[in-house]
Amino acid sequence: MEQFLHDNSLYVVLGIALILWFGIGIYLFSLDKKVSKLEKQIASIKE
Amino acid sequence: MKFVIMFGAIILAALFAAIGGYTKPKALWWKVIAILMVAFALILTILPPVSGNLSTARYIKEGFYESLNLHITNKTENHYFDEQSGKWFVYLGDKPIDLSDPSAVNFNRKLVIHATELPYGFSEDAELVIKAGYDKENDAIKFIETKYINPLFDYPFVPNLDERIKILNLHVPMAWIAVIAYLMSMIYAIRYLKTGDLNYDINTASAAALGNLFAILATVTGMLWAKYNWGNYWNWDPRQTSIFVLILIYAAFFALRAAIDNPERKAKLSSVYSIISFITVPFLVFVLPRMASGLHPGSADDVNAGPLVSAQPSALDTNLVWGFGLSLFAFTVIYFWLFNLLVRMNIIKNKLS
């Protein structure tokens, strides 16, 4: 597999782009979960 | 000009992020523009071909490459069309090589181009990018296929980099954004110490957290690039080591915050720590990797200070800097968006507890 990636380095570029997207995406996803939890807390306090 | 584009991208992104306020909710049109810019930057990074020129092929070392992309332009100093035989020839060294002859002769460095066919549509103004392979047994370059005719935008062929030059647009912005994040963290820390407003402390922590995220992303992408260029994922290269130390320094920042309960004490101590640790950032990121000898471009072994910062005209082309500037702009906007979300979330979290 290493040799294949060495020859077709475009997939290395693609892999790096995907790492960036997944890294930022996972972070956004976890932020979103935290915000939903907080919103639920606010809703439960208001009652 | 390069510096104008690079720093202009950062300043433009900061101004674009200031629309609507750094910590207030953003309008939908702003988010749509941000996503479109990132999509455009990624497309511009991945799609255009990487091309070389035949003079590059002339001077490569034997056995150094498994494949090359050759960019053949129809300029008379490189090619000519021989009316008599009806064939295209190219000069390699002093000898004309028949591009359509499968048994073209060897010359000086034993590099030969076997082009078994010329693509249809090769006309007066055509520019081609063809893919050629390196035949180890015969020590010859062989034509594999035509990749593009008249590419709109292409990357230059840098020896040893091949397609990976595009990673420049992805890996370098991450590192710069980490520095910007740490800088913002210091600015908010100073503001907290001046005014005592706890909201600034939230901003300090959020900026530092995002700085960590982008520094880790820069390290991981750099490691993947290093695997295919330097041979190993981790080489203890000065720049790799210094970014690792930087991550450790700011990880300690969060350990410090977690250890203190009183909000005012937490804010004061973390502001001081943020200011002090930012003092190390310019040294670790800009000075040390250029002083020490290492593998990363811009180290003391390198002729220039790195392809982006170097003043030499042979270092990164101005055209390419535009693509890099776009990528930098797009990712910086994403950073400001993340900062916005993180600050708002932390404010709500503080209000609830």
Side-chain angles (χ1 to χ4, degrees), chain B residues 268-321:
Chain B
K268 208 170 252 189
L269 281 172
S270 46
S271 303
V272 171
Y273 187 85
S274 171
I275 294 172
I276 293 180
S277 53
F278 186 74
I279 295 176
T280 65
V281 165
F283 179 71
L284 279 176
V285 174
F286 297 116
V287 174
L288 176 63
R290 294 204 166 96
M291 270 169 35
S293 73
L295 297 161
H296 196 281
S299 60
D301 294 345
D302 221 354
V303 189
N304 46 37
L308 280 170
V309 184
S310 160
Q312 286 181 5
S314 59
L316 211 60
D317 199 40
T318 308
N319 274 342
L320 296 171
V321 179

Side-chain angles (χ1 to χ4, degrees), chain B residues 16-299:
Chain B
F16 182 66
I19 297 176
Y22 284 117
T23 51
K24 295 207 191 68
K26 298 287 189 187
L28 182 63
W29 63 265
W30 191 94
K31 299 181 203 173
V32 167
I33 288 183
I35 301 258
L36 281 179
M37 297 302 283
V38 180
F40 191 44
L42 281 179
I43 289 174
L44 212 59
T45 304
I46 295 192
L47 281 188
V50 169
S51 60
N53 49 45
L54 284 176
S55 60
T56 316
R58 214 187 299 180
Y59 298 111
I60 58 170
K61 281 194 242 178
E62 292 184 320
F64 199 48
Y65 305 109
E66 295 296 330
S67 75
L68 288 176
N69 289 345
L70 302 177
H71 189 179
I72 302 182
T73 52
N74 191 6
K75 290 195 183 126
T76 45
E77 64 255 28
N78 263 347
H79 297 72
Y80 65 99
F81 183 72
D82 188 24
E83 304 272 328
Q84 268 182 335
S85 54
K87 289 182 183 170
W88 284 98
F89 285 83
V90 66
Y91 277 109
L92 212 57
D94 290 329
K95 268 189 136 127
I97 307 290
D98 179 8
L99 274 182
S100 58
D101 182 0
S103 61
V105 294
N106 291 344
F107 84 109
N108 58 7
R109 291 178 61 88
K110 296 197 280 186
L111 288 176
V112 140
I113 296 186
H114 299 279
T116 50
E117 62 186 49
L118 274 186
Y120 182 74
F122 188 57
S123 66
E124 271 294 315
D125 333 349
E127 287 191 359
L128 296 179
V129 177
I130 68 173
K131 179 164 185 177
Y134 185 73
D135 191 354
K136 263 196 191 145
E137 292 133 28
N138 306 326
D139 190 13
I141 298 177
K142 51 188 190 350
F143 171 85
I144 296 178
E145 59 167 344
T146 308
K147 291 188 84 170
Y148 297 91
I149 299 183
N150 293 329
L152 191 62
F153 184 80
D154 52 346
Y155 288 90
F157 181 81
V158 179
N160 206 23
L161 268 184
D162 204 20
E163 295 267 355
R164 290 180 293 271
I165 190 172
K166 299 172 180 175
I167 304 178
L168 195 77
N169 282 1
L170 299 173
H171 163 74
V172 181
M174 296 290 127
W176 291 29
I177 292 171
V179 172
I180 292 170
Y182 292 145
L183 174 67
M184 276 176 67
S185 177
M186 181 188 85
I187 291 176
Y188 283 119
I190 293 177
R191 273 185 163 175
Y192 168 76
L193 288 176
K194 271 193 182 165
T195 63
D197 182 2
L198 273 173
N199 281 329
Y200 286 134
D201 176 59
I202 297 175
N203 292 2
T204 305
S206 311
L210 284 176
N212 270 1
L213 171 70
F214 282 95
I216 291 174
L217 284 177
T219 312
V220 168
T221 52
M223 274 164 59
L224 201 54
W225 195 353
K227 173 65 177 168
Y228 294 97
N229 260 58
W230 304 341
N232 283 325
Y233 288 108
W234 193 263
N235 303 72
W236 294 112
D237 173 71
R239 199 177 275 275
Q240 270 185 319
T241 312
S242 64
I243 191 95
F244 178 61
V245 170
L246 193 60
I247 292 176
L248 286 181
I249 290 178
Y250 277 92
F253 176 82
F254 287 101
L256 177 68
R257 284 181 73 84
I260 305 175
D261 282 327
N262 180 355
E264 274 94 24
R265 272 203 79 209
K266 182 193 287 205
K268 208 170 252 189
L269 281 172
S270 46
S271 303
V272 171
Y273 187 85
S274 171
I275 294 172
I276 293 180
S277 53
F278 186 74
I279 295 176
T280 65
V281 165
F283 179 71
L284 279 176
V285 174
F286 297 116
V287 174
L288 176 63
R290 294 204 166 96
M291 270 169 35
S293 73
L295 297 161
H296 196 281
S299 60

